[in-house]
Amino acid sequence: MRILHTADWHLGRVFHGLSLLEDQAVLLKQVRQIAREEKADVLVMAGDVYDRGLPPTDAVELLDETLSAFALDLQIPVLLIAGNHDNAKRLEYGKALFAGRNIHFFGSVGATAPDPVVVPDLLGGDVYFCPLPFCDPLTASQASGASIKDFEAVLRWQRDRILTKVPAGARTVALAHTFVTGARQSPDSERPLAIGGTTNVGLSVFEPFQYTALGHLHAQQHLGPKAAYSGSLMKYSFNEYVQKKGVVLADLAADGAVTLTDIPLTASHDLDILRGSFAELMAHPDPEKAGRYLQVTLTDRTPILDVKAKLETVYPLLLSVRYEQLQAAQEETAVEARRGLSDQELFREFFQQVHGEAMSVQEETILRETLEALERERRNA
């Protein structure tokens, strides 16, 4: 069986004030073309379909167009699970009707385990696809009636109950949206799965499966022979500018062995970083980078009036300008120092400045629980 694995589409993403929807549409057409040319038997999407719980209308329209093409043109099964950016309930709208077209959504996690999706393989029997959509420990505890304290325990609980619905000896494929210990992260790009506490899981959680299609981390990477992150659909942070984006083709043999092949995607506009003085960049523009979304780092020691507008005359897709050595703008320097800090870390720093002392253990607990409640409210809005 040939499985086309993708994840982290983040449809509706706005990057430095720019909507990326047109770029995403081009890339999703490439995913469909790859499915057609490579004769994929099934498409799996491992979470973060949308960039936020309440996606813009045009993002929903793009998903509708994409899934219609898979159902009506390619006529292959599609499985999608919710990620931490998705609203699980909204993602499941119309799921029973979609299932009739072999489009399967899995978002909410409740007391009853979802049924695996069975995809026939004429050469080696059926393959059981086991969705493990994103779920936090509190939701899992409420659904199970037991105390589940961390994300690894959540996934073990999800895994164990869905495997009871799989015949002994059958080949299985898992879909999960999580952070596996030791995997490569993309700073300033991936939203934390929770506020405080440990969110990573061991790869051993997925040992029972012949292949695990992972989502959440934006860098494409293989985690041994049986699991991989396909990576995000495109570059969503300047920290990702050196990454190669694509999909993973997983060929599952009759004996359960898996062969993984990375297939690249080509964005309409690549993401890049340019460094130099204002005078150098204006006098000697790089034509190759003129068509890319750019972050420019200036080496000038003094600020330049209306610098972004001037640079845009030679780099029309310029999105961000930074000064490498300029220290006079203390406010800007302070903002940069805090960039990448979590909400909990930012509040902890604020508390220290206001009160002149660190937060107590009890105050840290109240803060964490409050932020987690807000995050659940955001996902379920």
Side-chain angles (χ1 to χ4, degrees):
M1 177 171 290
R2 175 157 282 186
I3 303 161
L4 185 58
H5 166 200
T6 179
D8 294 276
W9 291 352
H10 291 279
L11 300 183
R13 182 84 160 211
V14 175
F15 185 57
H16 287 269
L18 176 71
S19 171
L20 297 177
L21 205 71
E22 290 186 7
D23 299 81
Q24 292 170 330
V26 170
L27 290 165
L28 287 177
K29 286 181 181 178
Q30 290 181 33
V31 173
R32 300 202 302 263
Q33 186 63 25
I34 290 169
R36 180 180 295 107
E37 292 177 353
E38 298 292 340
K39 296 180 172 56
D41 298 302
V42 59
L43 175 80
V44 296
M45 197 285 171
D48 283 353
V49 179
Y50 294 117
D51 192 54
R52 54 185 185 270
L54 187 58
T57 303
D58 48 6
V60 178
E61 291 173 346
L62 177 56
L63 181 64
D64 176 59
E65 175 190 327
T66 301
L67 296 182
S68 295
F70 274 102
L72 303 177
D73 180 16
L74 297 173
Q75 297 184 358
I76 65 173
V78 179
L79 286 76
L80 307 93
I81 65 170
N84 60 308
H85 281 246
D86 296 309
N87 180 299
K89 283 291 187 183
R90 284 199 173 94
L91 192 65
E92 287 186 326
Y93 174 78
K95 65 178 295 184
L97 294 175
F98 278 110
R101 287 288 189 178
N102 236 346
I103 304 291
H104 305 275
F105 285 97
F106 298 92
S108 303
V109 176
T112 303
D115 292 326
V117 176
V118 183
V119 180
D121 180 352
L122 296 179
L123 297 179
D126 295 336
V127 177
Y128 287 73
F129 287 79
C130 300
L132 309 174
F134 174 77
C135 179
D136 60 72
L138 178 59
T139 300
S141 297
Q142 293 171 341
S144 66
S147 177
I148 298 180
K149 298 187 180 298
D150 57 49
F151 280 81
E152 180 161 325
V154 170
L155 276 167
R156 290 186 182 278
W157 168 68
Q158 289 179 282
R159 176 201 67 186
D160 292 345
R161 64 183 192 152
I162 199 170
L163 284 177
T164 64
K165 300 186 174 188
V166 176
R171 291 173 297 164
T172 55
V173 174
L175 287 74
H177 192 86
T178 191
F179 170 37
V180 175
T181 302
R184 188 167 72 257
Q185 300 183 66
S186 303
D188 197 31
S189 185
E190 300 140 353
R191 178 184 295 160
L193 293 176
I195 308 300
T198 178
T199 61
N200 56 312
V201 305
L203 188 59
S204 62
V205 170
F206 307 107
E207 183 58 35
F209 303 103
Q210 273 67 54
Y211 179 64
T212 298
L214 293 164
H216 179 55
L217 299 186
H218 288 190
Q220 189 177 70
Q221 53 196 301
H222 298 181
L223 305 182
K226 296 173 55 179
Y229 283 99
S230 67
S232 55
L233 186 67
M234 61 182 296
K235 299 173 183 179
Y236 290 125
S237 164
F238 285 111
N239 285 310
E240 298 181 36
Y241 84 101
V242 296
Q243 293 180 7
K244 303 297 183 183
K245 299 299 180 179
V247 295
V248 175
L249 206 61
D251 286 303
L252 180 62
D255 63 359
V258 178
T259 302
L260 303 180
T261 305
D262 296 333
I263 300 179
L265 295 171
T266 303
S268 300
H269 305 96
D270 202 358
L271 209 66
D272 211 337
I273 290 178
L274 194 58
R275 178 183 175 277
S277 71
F278 174 74
E280 291 170 344
L281 297 179
M282 293 296 291
H284 306 288
D286 185 339
E288 185 178 351
K289 297 193 176 186
R292 300 178 182 178
Y293 295 138
L294 280 183
Q295 178 184 83
V296 167
T297 300
L298 293 173
T299 57
D300 300 83
R301 294 181 177 274
T302 56
I304 297 164
L305 182 64
D306 205 14
V307 65
K308 187 171 185 291
K310 292 175 180 175
L311 286 169
E312 284 175 336
T313 62
V314 291
Y315 296 108
L317 300 181
L318 175 63
L319 299 182
S320 173
V321 179
R322 307 170 64 184
Y323 286 93
E324 184 176 72
Q325 302 181 48
L326 189 59
Q327 298 299 319
Q330 296 181 358
E331 183 177 344
E332 180 181 340
T333 303
V335 170
E336 287 298 321
R338 295 187 179 97
R339 193 180 301 277
L341 294 181
S342 67
D343 292 343
Q344 188 172 16
E345 290 167 332
L346 287 169
F347 190 89
R348 187 184 295 131
E349 183 178 312
F350 171 75
F351 187 96
Q352 175 81 35
Q353 291 176 355
V354 172
H355 295 280
E357 60 182 19
M359 298 176 69
S360 66
V361 174
Q362 183 180 9
E363 289 165 336
E364 287 270 11
T365 300
I366 294 171
L367 172 62
R368 185 181 67 253
E369 291 175 349
T370 301
L371 291 173
E372 287 176 348
L374 289 171
E375 175 64 14
R376 285 193 296 274
E377 183 179 321
R378 180 199 63 77
R379 288 199 301 268
N380 297 325

